[in-house]
Amino acid sequence: MEIPVLLLTGYLGSGKTTLLNHILTNREGIRFAVIVNDIGEVNIDAELIQKGGIVGQDDSDDLIALQNGCICCTLKYDLIKQLDDLISTGKFDYIVIEASGVCEPAPIAQTICAMQRMPGGPDAPKVHPRLDAIVTVVDALRLKDEFGCGDALEKENIDEEDIENLIIEQIEFCNIILLNKISEVSREEASEIRQVIRALQPKAKIFECDYCDVPLDDIVDTHSFDFEDVATSATWVQKIEGPADEQIEDDGQNHVHLHDHDHDAAEHDHDHHHNSNSDDHCDHGEGCTCGHHHHHHGEGEAEEYGISTFVYFRRRPFDFNKFDRFVNLHWPKNIIRSKGVIYFSHNRDMSLLFETAGRQVSLKEAGLWYATAPAEELEQMMAHDPALRRDWDEEYGDRMVKLVIIGRDLDREKLSAELDACLA
């Protein structure tokens, strides 16, 4: 047996608590329990909900505040315990989790889905949580200001650390988006904001609203969350795993075959990274930068607001100093989002995950390339994964630079030339 769970995400002030109060005032007779996460010492969100007279007024234990930490990392085990405790009471039909505004949704989803897959046994709980949907609340006005690729991105006084990256990650990892405060922007601005969202996340349902006033049926008990589908739905994931030289279309959606190249590091004594690329020698020559963003669901032409996507692909490594200088001094301000795998000439064995969101830049180790594995082990991996053999380059192995770039009025030739100048 399962009890559905709704995860609410969204940056600070986007309207999550307003949405939560809207859900709790339902007239369908659904018995909700609420877990609220706040990173401060005083749980403001919980207090607001209590003052609304919805929950937390009696001894029903229907409101739990997890504070002084974040449920996507330090409070993960507290979340598991509280979900178990709520379910074990048998009092509730549905659980709503309001994540902190600085939470990343993916780790929370992994935690809940792991609980759902727990093996049965005599002592195992009879009821498991089922992640029903992840709803991200997006402040339309803030998205326009922060990601308009205009003056706002050039401000030096944006003091919230990684705000752009958080908002983008919350948009990328969800299956329902509430575009809130929509009346505070013009119709044209609203269309442009939707275009930005669609460029980042082409699959999630989008509902425009004010005060998060949407029909309960649109967000509750939807049975719409699928972890693999959501985890691979962001544009950068589809394109980083898809062909660099072509865009596959089918019924107005982009579909690419995803390959899981993870393997047991303890068994193989290696931690390798690989991204599939179906054809490294297209008609356009090395490093084809084809790949166009397609606008879906009747929302207008793809280039109407100049927002587009392309894939920069090369086999040669970057020179660290050249690339560092370009990113820090000359990175175009009209790039909304970029993410992909790169490597440097001074350490050809290590793959790195590079990403930008607005003004924020991140570079993390992603593991050793498969090309560093012993020959016998490599042959076994190729037998297990034909895509690895298909994508193999005689000189570089699986090493590559592959960046997915989303932005407004992108000059692809100029940007490609600037990135080429960073190659070793």
Side-chain angles (χ1 to χ4, degrees):
M1 188 175 173
E2 297 174 332
I3 184 168
V5 177
L6 175 65
L7 175 60
L8 302 182
T9 70
Y11 198 70
L12 303 168
S14 61
K16 296 191 304 300
T17 301
T18 300
L19 174 60
L20 184 54
N21 275 286
H22 172 58
I23 292 172
L24 295 174
T25 54
N26 78 94
R27 298 180 180 179
E28 285 78 3
I30 302 173
R31 299 174 301 170
F32 285 99
V34 179
I35 297 175
V36 180
N37 179 214
D38 193 293
I39 61 173
E41 292 184 1
V42 179
N43 198 306
I44 302 299
D45 286 345
E47 289 182 359
L48 287 174
I49 296 165
Q50 289 173 329
K51 288 177 181 177
I54 308 302
V55 294
Q57 293 291 334
D58 48 34
D59 297 326
S60 59
D61 296 324
D62 51 3
L63 172 63
I64 295 172
L66 299 181
Q67 55 195 73
N68 298 324
C70 180
I71 56 176
C72 67
C73 46
T74 56
L75 295 182
K76 185 180 297 184
Y77 294 105
D78 289 355
L79 175 62
I80 293 173
K81 182 181 184 305
Q82 294 302 338
L83 283 171
D84 276 339
D85 289 347
L86 285 172
I87 292 171
S88 65
T89 67
K91 297 178 180 178
F92 308 108
D93 305 312
Y94 205 103
I95 298 173
V96 181
I97 301 173
E98 182 190 349
S100 161
V102 296
C103 272
E104 298 174 16
I108 306 172
Q110 287 175 326
T111 299
I112 299 171
C113 290
M115 293 179 67
Q116 185 178 349
R117 295 191 297 268
M118 281 180 167
D123 298 325
K126 299 293 188 294
V127 182
H128 293 283
R130 170 182 58 81
L131 190 52
D132 185 49
I134 297 181
V135 175
T136 291
V137 183
V138 175
D139 182 334
L141 189 60
R142 186 161 204 169
L143 195 69
K144 177 181 77 75
D145 290 341
E146 302 295 351
F147 299 101
C149 294
D151 294 340
L153 287 181
E154 299 178 25
K155 291 179 180 177
E156 297 298 330
N157 60 345
I158 300 177
D159 55 2
E160 300 98 328
E161 185 179 359
D162 292 336
I163 171 179
E164 296 95 340
N165 196 49
L166 276 167
I167 293 175
I168 284 179
E169 286 187 358
Q170 290 166 352
I171 290 172
E172 288 178 334
F173 200 92
C174 70
N175 63 306
I176 298 173
I177 293 172
L178 299 191
L179 190 50
N180 197 31
K181 307 179 186 178
I182 196 66
S183 64
E184 297 186 31
V185 298
S186 69
R187 181 174 299 180
E188 183 174 356
E189 287 170 340
S191 296
E192 188 173 0
I193 291 167
R194 287 178 68 97
Q195 186 75 30
V196 171
I197 292 174
R198 275 285 170 246
L200 297 169
Q201 167 52 272
K203 290 188 176 182
K205 290 184 178 180
I206 302 175
F207 298 100
E208 296 181 355
C209 56
D210 285 300
Y211 303 103
C212 292
D213 190 9
V214 296
L216 202 63
D217 290 344
D218 288 340
I219 57 175
V220 170
D221 211 17
T222 63
H223 295 266
S224 60
F225 183 83
D226 179 275
F227 188 91
E228 183 177 354
D229 187 50
V230 171
T232 59
S233 62
T235 295
W236 81 267
V237 178
Q238 295 188 41
K239 289 185 179 290
I240 203 71
E241 291 287 357
D245 62 326
E246 61 179 298
Q247 186 67 41
I248 302 172
E249 285 189 86
D250 181 22
D251 297 327
Q253 290 285 352
N254 298 331
H255 299 279
V256 296
H257 183 61
L258 297 168
H259 305 278
D260 181 7
H261 300 293
D262 293 337
H263 57 283
D264 190 341
E267 177 183 351
H268 296 289
D269 295 321
H270 273 74
D271 179 19
H272 302 285
H273 179 87
H274 176 68
N275 287 286
S276 74
N277 180 60
S278 65
D279 184 0
D280 300 323
H281 305 287
C282 69
D283 294 337
H284 297 162
E286 185 203 8
C288 167
T289 55
C290 302
H292 306 279
H293 172 66
H294 297 274
H295 202 58
H296 308 307
H297 306 301
E299 293 177 39
E301 296 299 324
E303 302 293 337
E304 183 178 356
Y305 297 99
I307 300 168
S308 61
T309 302
F310 85 99
V311 179
Y312 173 84
F313 173 76
R314 298 291 188 267
R315 284 290 187 176
R316 290 165 52 196
F318 281 132
D319 175 276
F320 176 82
N321 292 324
K322 293 178 181 178
F323 184 73
D324 182 64
R325 179 178 177 82
F326 173 65
V327 169
N328 285 289
L329 298 181
H330 304 294
W331 191 253
K333 292 183 173 64
N334 60 333
I335 293 178
I336 298 170
R337 172 64 151 166
S338 67
K339 194 164 184 175
V341 61
I342 67 174
Y343 71 113
F344 294 115
S345 56
H346 73 276
N347 185 3
R348 295 166 57 89
D349 291 345
M350 179 61 67
S351 67
L352 301 156
L353 185 65
F354 170 80
E355 62 180 302
T356 68
R359 303 186 315 123
Q360 305 299 327
V361 179
S362 173
L363 185 66
K364 301 174 184 176
E365 290 188 353
L368 299 173
W369 295 105
Y370 281 140
T372 63
E376 183 177 347
E377 178 185 331
L378 183 58
E379 190 61 33
Q380 292 176 355
M381 288 188 290
M382 284 187 171
H384 175 71
D385 182 5
L388 179 57
R389 186 185 301 277
R390 180 198 65 194
D391 299 341
W392 198 260
D393 181 88
E394 288 301 319
E395 180 178 355
Y396 295 99
D398 61 320
R399 296 179 180 92
M400 65 178 71
V401 168
K402 193 172 185 183
L403 293 175
V404 180
I405 299 172
I406 302 171
R408 177 178 280 102
D409 299 324
L410 294 174
D411 187 336
R412 304 180 186 194
E413 291 186 5
K414 181 175 183 291
L415 184 54
S416 294
E418 290 172 331
L419 287 169
D420 284 347
C422 299
L423 296 172

